[in-house]
Amino acid sequence: MNGIKNLVANFERSEYTITIEKVGEGSVTKELISGTQTDNGYLFESSVKLTATPKKNWNFLRWEGDVESDSQSFGKVINDHITIRAVFIEFEDGDGSEDNPYQVANLHQLQRVGSYLDRHFIQVSDIDASKTQGWNPEVEFTPIGIWIDEHVNDAFSGTYNGQGFEIKDLSIRNRDDIIGRASGLFGYVNESGLIKNLTIQNLSLDIYYSDDFSSMHVGTFIGLNHGKISSVLIKGIRGFNFNFLGGVVGTNYGEIVKVHSEVIFGGEDMGGIPDLNYGNIYNSSFIGNIRGFGGMESRFWTKTKFICCLCGVKL
């Protein structure tokens, strides 16, 4: 027992795991570059490549967690347990905050604004919306923000800055029994909503009323507005054959500033900017042909204010 002994020490590499989390729609793949992969993870100092692949109409934004990167693929030497999160978004970039708004660059992304009603957006290119002509047999483009009545509604409460870009050839064909009683590019905007610096060109609007159309809020830009609209141009709008429509807003309780509309209406009781106005309109103008009461708005109410507004209308 007191003789010389030989001892052998066996060392094994520690095993570590990679936990993947995802925000949004997409997939993550792991590729072993060097080292050893086990049933439960990877041995110490193995090298692994991770790649994030967004689903169609989604974009990869960044990695979060124990690894922070905006590269879609990266390599990692494994020397501890790690948890990482792949973030996918439905927009070009941004996180929807006021400081880093979502970037809207195409028609699909414009429609998806309606799923993030309290977020902030900037438009980063002109948008060709001509595909809405055959997008959906019932609803080509769903208005952003829904109004059924005062008890059932879901308003846009964020900001949308068009940055001077335009949306052209948008077709909106809505049934009030499907998408509510407020129609336009934006259906319902509440007091927190702000939309500015945008041009709408060659919009087509066709509304089906299931009952009393006078209770509908229909405008080319916003159906029911309690928020603020600033520096918006509406032009080339024509071909409407129904009643009670606003060239910009259906019913306005909010503030409209520096808005100009150029429209040709074919129905009765049309307003060049709002159909009904309970709010304030400043430094705005309308030029076009309408039938019915017409002018700056179609149905006047006592608690309205028009300051420095111009109306050039053929009734």
Side-chain angles (χ1 to χ4, degrees):
M1 298 294 295
N2 295 322
I4 297 174
K5 300 178 178 63
N6 293 321
L7 301 176
V8 177
N10 293 315
F11 298 94
E12 294 183 350
R13 292 177 182 267
S14 298
E15 182 182 60
Y16 297 108
T17 59
I18 301 176
T19 301
I20 302 294
E21 299 175 350
K22 293 185 295 181
V23 175
E25 297 292 331
S27 61
V28 175
T29 58
K30 294 176 286 187
E31 178 186 355
L32 181 66
I33 303 301
S34 63
T36 303
Q37 182 174 2
T38 68
D39 291 339
N40 299 314
Y42 300 88
L43 296 186
F44 177 70
E45 291 190 336
S46 294
S47 179
V48 180
K49 179 181 179 181
L50 293 101
T51 301
T53 303
K55 186 179 177 180
K56 183 180 179 181
N57 293 321
W58 287 72
N59 290 306
F60 171 76
L61 180 61
R62 61 175 175 261
W63 297 97
E64 298 176 341
D66 293 328
V67 176
E68 296 184 354
S69 174
D70 57 6
S71 297
Q72 202 163 330
S73 296
F74 70 92
K76 175 67 175 176
V77 176
I78 306 303
N79 51 25
D80 202 348
H81 297 292
I82 63 171
T83 298
I84 54 177
R85 182 182 305 108
V87 180
F88 302 96
I89 59 173
E90 294 188 86
F91 303 97
E92 290 300 296
D93 205 343
D95 58 18
S97 66
E98 191 170 0
D99 293 333
N100 188 24
Y102 285 132
Q103 296 181 11
V104 178
N106 57 50
L107 179 60
H108 175 80
Q109 293 169 356
L110 178 64
Q111 179 69 93
R112 296 305 296 163
V113 171
S115 296
Y116 303 86
L117 293 172
D118 62 345
R119 308 307 289 167
H120 303 274
F121 303 87
I122 57 173
Q123 190 168 319
V124 295
S125 66
D126 291 335
I127 294 177
D128 178 1
S130 58
K131 290 183 179 179
T132 53
Q133 295 290 336
W135 193 341
N136 185 312
E138 293 291 344
V139 185
E140 276 88 1
F141 184 91
T142 302
I144 300 167
I146 302 298
W147 170 271
I148 305 296
D149 55 38
E150 62 271 20
H151 304 294
V152 182
N153 56 77
D154 198 6
F156 179 77
S157 58
T159 63
Y160 191 99
N161 183 354
Q163 298 196 122
F165 292 106
E166 72 174 20
I167 299 168
K168 58 184 178 181
D169 299 325
L170 178 65
S171 175
I172 301 175
R173 186 177 66 188
N174 292 335
R175 294 172 56 96
D176 67 313
D177 55 344
I178 294 178
I179 53 79
R181 304 187 66 80
S183 290
L185 172 60
F186 289 80
Y188 174 36
V189 177
N190 72 10
E191 292 82 355
S192 300
L194 169 63
I195 307 168
K196 62 182 181 179
N197 304 327
L198 185 62
T199 295
I200 307 296
Q201 183 167 321
N202 299 330
L203 180 143
S204 174
L205 186 61
D206 185 11
I207 305 299
Y208 168 79
Y209 303 99
S210 61
D211 47 36
D212 179 17
F213 55 72
S214 66
S215 66
M216 291 284 289
H217 308 283
V218 183
T220 61
F221 190 51
I222 300 177
L224 176 59
N225 178 52
H226 286 258
K228 182 176 181 179
I229 309 167
S230 176
S231 301
V232 170
L233 172 62
I234 312 291
K235 61 181 181 179
I237 314 301
R238 61 184 301 142
F240 304 104
N241 293 304
F242 47 89
N243 302 333
F244 302 111
L245 169 70
V248 179
V249 175
T251 303
N252 178 53
Y253 289 88
E255 184 173 279
I256 298 175
V257 181
K258 295 182 179 179
V259 169
H260 176 73
S261 69
E262 300 175 6
V263 294
I264 299 175
F265 290 154
E268 300 288 342
D269 305 331
M270 306 294 190
I273 293 182
D275 172 35
L276 282 171
N277 185 46
Y278 300 89
N280 298 322
I281 301 177
Y282 303 94
N283 302 317
S284 297
S285 58
F286 160 66
I287 298 175
N289 296 340
I290 60 177
R291 293 164 53 189
F293 295 120
M296 192 65 69
E297 67 173 344
S298 72
R299 294 178 279 175
F300 286 87
W301 298 87
T302 56
K303 295 182 179 180
T304 63
K305 183 182 292 184
F306 295 86
I307 298 178
C308 297
C309 294
L310 172 66
C311 175
V313 57
K314 180 179 179 181
L315 300 177

